[in-house]
Amino acid sequence: MFDQMLLISLDFLDRDCVSKVISPSGRSFFEVESFNAQKSYQVLTQYCSCEGYSYKVRDSDGPILCKHQLAVKLAEALGKFSTRTVTDIELATMLSREDEG
């Protein structure tokens, strides 16, 4: 299972789907875009907004990371992510929107 997750996570990097969102106050999070670009997932140090995180990571004895978290860790280690600057209000709005779903 980990082999499959590693391949998918590396594919996120190959497709340039990982970006770091930063605000002027220094707050930041990573965003991983889905392969079909219809959805993006917010990734913080110990959180991902994807369903897999909720069902497989947080609420079970399954893997300790979802594929988006692994993609972010790999992107940071390899320096393979884009950076986008937003206002503090935009950043807060982006994160709070995920709590509604």
Side-chain angles (χ1 to χ4, degrees):
M1 179 170 167
F2 183 75
D3 292 342
Q4 176 79 9
M5 186 166 49
L6 178 60
L7 291 174
I8 293 169
S9 297
L10 288 169
D11 203 18
F12 282 122
L13 272 60
D14 287 342
R15 296 178 189 221
D16 296 321
C17 294
V18 180
S19 60
K20 186 173 187 176
V21 180
I22 303 171
S23 72
S25 66
R27 291 179 175 88
S28 66
F29 68 91
F30 279 88
E31 191 168 61
V32 180
E33 194 174 291
S34 64
F35 293 136
N36 60 11
Q38 292 183 353
K39 181 146 177 74
S40 61
Y41 301 96
Q42 284 66 37
V43 180
L44 298 136
T45 305
Q46 296 182 12
Y47 172 79
C48 180
S49 63
C50 74
E51 288 182 12
Y53 176 82
S54 295
Y55 297 116
K56 295 178 185 172
V57 178
R58 186 187 69 198
D59 295 336
S60 75
D61 293 328
I64 59 171
L65 299 170
C66 70
K67 61 189 174 187
H68 306 107
Q69 289 172 305
L70 182 55
V72 166
K73 292 208 176 285
L74 292 168
E76 284 184 296
L78 299 171
K80 183 117 172 65
F81 59 89
S82 59
T83 303
R84 183 165 49 120
T85 303
V86 298
T87 67
D88 288 311
I89 292 172
E90 288 171 320
L91 185 131
T93 301
M94 293 169 82
L95 291 174
S96 66
R97 197 175 4 190
E98 288 304 316
D99 289 340
E100 295 170 4

